[in-house]
Amino acid sequence: MSDTHVAALVGNGLSISVNNQMTLRSITTEVVARIGESDGDDVSVAMRGIADRALPDGAGSDGDFEVLLGAFDAERRNLELLEVLSAATGQRDDDELQQAIRRTARFAERVRDSGVSHALEVIAERSRANEESSGALREFVRAIVTEFTGDVSFGNLNYDTLLLASLLRECKDEVADMGHGQLGGELTIAHDWSIAGYPLRQCADDFPATHRVRLLHLHGSLAYWDDGTGTHLKISRDRVTPELWRAVRDGNCSARPDVVLTTQHDKATAVEATPFRLPYEMFGTALRGSTHWLIVGYSFRDAPVNKMLRESFDGHELPKVLVITHGDSPTRSEVERALGWDPECDGNANWLSIDREGAAGAHERHRWSRFVR
């Protein structure tokens, strides 16, 4: 029997199965609280003003996470447009105006970086799973890599390292992520503080052919950083400390986390840039080459991800698709629509199965059995 390939798209629901404080609403509530408690410098005052304007009544839904972080990024992007506009209106030579715009843009970047650092710090703290919960995740991961003997490609939408930790426990010698296996870079935080890192892979050929399990962080990771000069590195999880987040907020380092944290509108542009373009391309290739698609804890509300799914599904020999969620969302019609399937024209989606009991123990339920056989 030939090997069977699987492409597994993983969203926030998988992290929630490990720690129920990983819901986006809960994270947003904590981020807003920390912003409110932050020191009274100009950046903190600006952050509180933006947060109050974006979420005047606090966090009421998972979607507010993107609203809040998108609001911080929008201020920076608006100033980029202002600089273009000033040039287009013949004011390119107005040095005083240009300098004022650039100063304000740098300030907006600090505000954005502070907001992002608060969010990622909360995620980092809460992604340290207890043994029982992480054990359930490892069992699920073990079932996936054992059942599918061909290529196993994970497209991870989470910023935490929970899935990576489980993969390293279950199949360390078979897994490769975006980081090269040998140290070869250095992330400079301050003149007397640097962190050794692994350069991120730059093309598909950089992944070792001997490793059939690939972890592709589509929107970045707590451990992925831009050193400020365009060099992208992975650092060890244990080096992602409160002191590192504080350095980002204080404006004392040029390094920034490599993550996509912006509005849906701007995500489409962000994922075309390095280092996100490569994992998107590779996961799209994995989808088109896999007979089985496993989608875990994903809301089907992310436009670039839905586009990738739809384009990979179109013209593809119908894969078997198992969606694992918790509760009534997403609906079957929402899944079909995201994949470009029209029941009136295309008939019943017999290829699709939905398990609504959550990720924990999913490999022990009957829908999993039907999916893998």
Side-chain angles (χ1 to χ4, degrees):
M1 182 180 295
S2 60
D3 291 330
T4 305
H5 309 307
V6 62
L9 178 66
V10 174
N12 187 238
L14 186 70
S15 297
I16 295 170
S17 72
V18 176
N19 181 352
N20 58 18
Q21 288 189 313
M22 292 291 283
T23 66
L24 295 181
R25 182 188 303 188
S26 176
I27 292 170
T28 307
T29 298
E30 180 61 22
V31 171
V32 171
R34 294 189 184 190
I35 290 172
E37 297 166 358
S38 55
D39 295 335
D41 63 4
D42 290 344
V43 170
S44 300
V45 171
M47 287 172 61
R48 288 196 291 271
I50 293 171
D52 289 344
R53 187 179 65 201
L55 299 177
D57 300 317
S61 71
D62 280 357
D64 285 336
F65 181 78
E66 188 169 85
V67 170
L68 178 63
L69 276 298
F72 289 126
D73 195 45
E75 302 295 332
R76 178 186 64 87
R77 290 182 179 274
N78 287 340
L79 285 163
E80 289 179 350
L81 293 175
L82 182 60
E83 187 171 3
V84 173
L85 180 61
S86 69
T89 54
Q91 300 180 71
R92 185 190 301 273
D93 297 328
D94 188 335
D95 291 340
E96 186 175 343
L97 175 61
Q98 293 297 321
Q99 289 175 12
I101 292 174
R102 292 190 188 105
R103 277 198 308 272
T104 309
R106 287 195 294 270
F107 179 78
E109 285 182 355
R110 281 198 60 196
V111 172
R112 185 275 313 270
D113 291 342
S114 293
V116 167
S117 71
H118 275 301
L120 293 177
E121 185 171 21
V122 172
I123 291 171
E125 292 169 358
R126 296 186 177 188
S127 61
R128 297 184 184 280
N130 61 55
E131 189 62 29
E132 181 180 354
S133 297
S134 60
L137 176 57
R138 290 199 304 273
E139 289 178 7
F140 185 40
V141 166
R142 186 186 311 135
I144 296 171
V145 298
T146 301
E147 189 64 46
F148 295 95
T149 55
D151 293 335
V152 179
S153 300
F154 289 94
N156 192 3
L157 295 170
N158 300 311
Y159 307 108
D160 60 60
T161 55
L162 289 169
L163 180 55
L164 172 61
S166 292
L167 286 169
L168 290 176
R169 289 285 294 270
E170 296 302 325
C171 55
K172 182 177 182 179
D173 295 333
E174 293 183 288
V175 65
D177 67 355
M178 290 288 293
H180 272 289
Q182 295 184 344
L183 291 172
E186 194 169 72
L187 188 70
T188 300
I189 308 303
H191 72 279
D192 58 349
W193 179 15
S194 61
I195 299 174
Y198 308 82
L200 295 189
R201 304 182 199 273
Q202 299 181 28
C203 65
D205 289 342
D206 286 343
F207 283 77
T210 53
H211 291 51
R212 70 182 183 93
V213 181
R214 292 179 175 177
L215 175 58
L216 305 168
H217 278 91
L218 301 178
H219 292 164
S221 165
L222 294 166
Y224 295 175
W225 289 72
D226 181 339
D227 73 349
T229 68
T231 298
H232 304 274
L233 301 168
K234 173 189 173 184
I235 63 176
S236 297
R237 176 64 175 81
D238 60 5
R239 304 304 300 273
V240 181
T241 61
E243 291 75 21
L244 181 56
W245 300 122
R246 195 153 44 243
V248 173
R249 287 195 288 274
D250 290 345
N252 291 333
C253 70
S254 58
R256 295 293 180 272
D258 258 331
V259 292
V260 176
L261 273 173
T262 187
T263 63
Q264 283 291 334
H265 178 270
D266 290 325
K267 268 185 184 178
T269 301
V271 300
E272 288 293 326
T274 304
F276 312 108
R277 185 184 183 90
L278 177 62
Y280 259 80
E281 289 177 346
M282 290 185 64
F283 193 63
T285 299
L287 287 166
R288 291 188 292 276
S290 297
T291 55
H292 292 67
W293 291 11
L294 177 63
I295 302 175
V296 185
Y298 172 55
S299 66
F300 288 87
R301 291 197 297 262
D302 196 302
V305 174
N306 287 352
K307 180 175 182 287
M308 174 179 55
L309 291 172
R310 190 164 52 251
E311 291 177 347
S312 301
F313 190 82
D314 185 33
H316 188 292
E317 180 179 347
L318 288 179
K320 294 180 72 171
V321 179
L322 174 61
V323 174
I324 300 175
T325 186
H326 190 274
D328 297 331
S329 181
T331 65
R332 189 177 187 87
S333 62
E334 286 173 337
V335 176
E336 292 172 349
R337 186 163 55 250
L339 296 179
W341 184 269
D342 184 350
E344 290 189 5
C345 300
D346 302 320
N348 292 329
N350 297 323
W351 44 268
L352 172 63
S353 180
I354 302 178
D355 180 338
R356 299 190 179 279
E357 297 180 53
H363 59 288
E364 299 173 339
R365 297 194 289 267
H366 71 281
R367 285 185 175 82
W368 174 265
S369 300
R370 285 163 42 195
F371 175 62
V372 300
R373 70 168 182 237

